[in-house]
Amino acid sequence: MTLSKVLATYSKDSGNSVYVQSYESPVGKAIAAADEDFLYAVTFENSKNFEKCFETLAKELSCSFIESENKILKRFGKELSDYFEGKLKKFTVPTKMIGSEFQKIVWEKLMELPYGSTQTYGDLAKDLGRPSSHSRAIGAACGANSLLIVVPCHRLVASGSKGGYNSGVDRKDKLIELEKTFS
């Protein structure tokens, strides 16, 4: 389904507006969503969770979607450009995460991973005080991440392989390589 159709399907008649803008990037068209205070989503049109991302936003925020750029999205667009040029190592745009408490804990921990590094799902589980056998739960939390690149789930890898990525392993590989080039 196209972006316009997804937004039309899930928009709700309310006073809440969430702005949506597309950005060209070296790894494909990134689509971001924000209100006047927070960035809520960064996804790609061919991501597994593309439609679900907007469905969840509409449900949680009871919002209508507007295809336009606001101040938060302008800031994000500049930061995204700087990230791909190797000038930005950590996003500073204000974000708000929508998910379970466990998912939020995982996402916060992901934001501590240094630019240009990778860590295994099992090691992240251990860092959270859980056994490495919780790596599947860590992977599931990464799969539910709606702030791709900003919350760098691409930096998590499986033992002996790259692991998955809800926007495709090829895109994950490109993001990891990009960061290694500039770190």
Side-chain angles (χ1 to χ4, degrees):
M1 198 179 307
T2 67
L3 176 60
S4 294
K5 286 184 181 179
V6 168
L7 299 181
T9 299
Y10 296 109
S11 277
K12 301 194 183 289
D13 290 329
S14 74
N16 276 347
S17 296
V18 170
Y19 296 84
V20 179
Q21 184 69 34
S22 298
Y23 301 90
E24 292 300 327
S25 83
V27 295
K29 188 186 289 185
I31 300 162
D35 63 13
E36 294 300 335
D37 300 310
F38 298 105
L39 179 69
Y40 291 98
V42 178
T43 189
F44 294 89
E45 267 185 319
N46 61 349
S47 293
K48 290 178 188 174
N49 297 351
F50 171 70
E51 189 174 337
K52 178 85 171 146
C53 179
F54 292 100
E55 179 183 11
T56 300
L57 275 178
K59 179 182 173 189
E60 293 293 323
L61 302 176
S62 188
C63 63
S64 58
F65 294 107
I66 300 168
E67 284 189 75
S68 183
E69 195 173 48
N70 65 3
K71 66 178 176 147
I72 295 288
L73 291 174
K74 284 180 184 167
R75 181 173 169 186
F76 168 72
K78 171 73 171 112
E79 288 189 9
L80 185 67
S81 178
D82 288 349
Y83 169 82
F84 282 112
E85 292 173 12
K87 298 176 188 173
L88 182 86
K89 309 297 186 207
K90 186 172 182 144
F91 287 84
T92 62
V93 65
T95 60
K96 193 166 213 179
M97 301 171 192
I98 297 173
S100 71
E101 286 309 309
F102 175 74
Q103 289 170 334
K104 290 177 186 177
I105 289 167
V106 170
W107 299 334
E108 289 292 335
K109 195 69 171 170
L110 283 169
M111 293 179 79
E112 296 173 13
L113 292 180
Y115 178 92
S117 70
T118 57
Q119 185 176 24
T120 67
Y121 297 96
D123 285 343
L124 187 73
K126 288 179 195 172
D127 286 352
L128 292 172
R130 299 169 191 272
S132 61
S133 61
H134 281 104
S135 60
R136 286 184 190 258
I138 300 293
C142 288
N145 174 17
S146 66
L147 286 162
L148 300 179
I149 303 174
V150 176
V151 175
C153 55
H154 60 274
R155 295 181 191 152
L156 277 188
V157 296
S159 297
S161 75
K162 294 285 191 218
Y165 190 59
N166 80 20
S167 287
V169 176
D170 289 347
R171 187 171 280 133
K172 179 178 188 168
D173 288 341
K174 288 178 184 175
L175 292 169
I176 290 169
E177 288 307 312
L178 172 100
E179 290 186 6
K180 285 183 179 177
T181 299
F182 292 114
S183 55

